[in-house]
């Protein structure tokens, strides 16, 4: 760990609970201190050698990551791991878009990035998210030609909530933390 400091902080920003669940699992697995994003500042994290940040993914944006991005230079020598959580599977081209939308060039070189699959329950969405998802649903339904498996699965979720969270999915992050 950088600077001989092996303390680990897990910080998260969760909208519907999946990111919080993953953050709790990671913190438990590596005996880390756990913080909800609004309860911690970047200054609070200076005493940690490893900083893990998890945020819900909305339209390629990782919620709450701006606090890391804004002053990344001050923590660049620490091990920094970022994970996003969203309903979509982790397609390489989509993950590249997420990195390009959320990370500076310096972050792209230094941050270890992972995507974890969350869940989708239309009935639990707030009004704005319901509207946006309704528009996406209509766009998929109006598509000409064969729907992809992801599109078919997304349409199915409007009537049948899905939870893809899986504790095993954190294992690559745990390996990254330990350097294995």
């Amino acid at each position: 760990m950088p600077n001989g400091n092996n303390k680990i902080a897990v910080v998260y920003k969760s909208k519907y609970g999946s990111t919080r669940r993953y953050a709790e699992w990671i913190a438990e697995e590596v005996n880390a201190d756990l913080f909800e994003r609004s309860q911690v500042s970047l200054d609070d994290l200076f005493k940690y050698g490893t900083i893990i940040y998890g945020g819900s993914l909305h339209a390629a944006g990782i919620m709450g990551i701006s606090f890391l991005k804004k002053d990344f230079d001050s923590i660049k020598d620490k091990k920094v791991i970022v994970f996003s959580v969203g309903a979509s599977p982790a397609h390489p081209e989509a993950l590249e878009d997420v990195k390009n939308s959320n990370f500076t060039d310096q972050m792209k070189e230094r941050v270890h990035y992972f995507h974890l699959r969350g869940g989708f329950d239309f009935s639990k969405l707030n009004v704005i998210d319901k509207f946006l998802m309704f528009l996406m649903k209509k766009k998929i339904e109006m598509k000409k030609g064969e729907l992809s498996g992801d599109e078919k699965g997304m349409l199915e979720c409007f009537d049948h909530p899905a939870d893809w969270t899986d504790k095993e999915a954190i294992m690559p992050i745990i390996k990254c933390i330990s350097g294995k």
Side-chain angles (χ1 to χ4, degrees), residues 123-146:
S123 70
K124 292 184 178 178
L125 300 181
N126 66 35
V127 174
I128 294 170
D129 288 344
K130 277 186 179 178
F131 177 72
L132 293 173
M133 293 307 294
F134 175 78
L135 291 177
M136 186 189 79
K137 179 182 180 189
K138 289 300 171 196
K139 183 179 177 182
I140 293 171
E141 290 173 338
M142 293 173 58
K143 183 178 176 187
K144 293 182 176 28
E146 184 75 21

Side-chain angles (χ1 to χ4, degrees), residues 9-32:
V10 177
V11 182
Y12 69 93
K13 176 92 173 152
S14 187
K15 195 163 189 178
Y16 295 108
S18 297
T19 305
R20 181 186 67 238
R21 182 177 305 141
Y22 281 122
E24 290 170 346
W25 285 339
I26 292 166
E28 178 183 297
E29 192 73 27
V30 297
N31 195 28

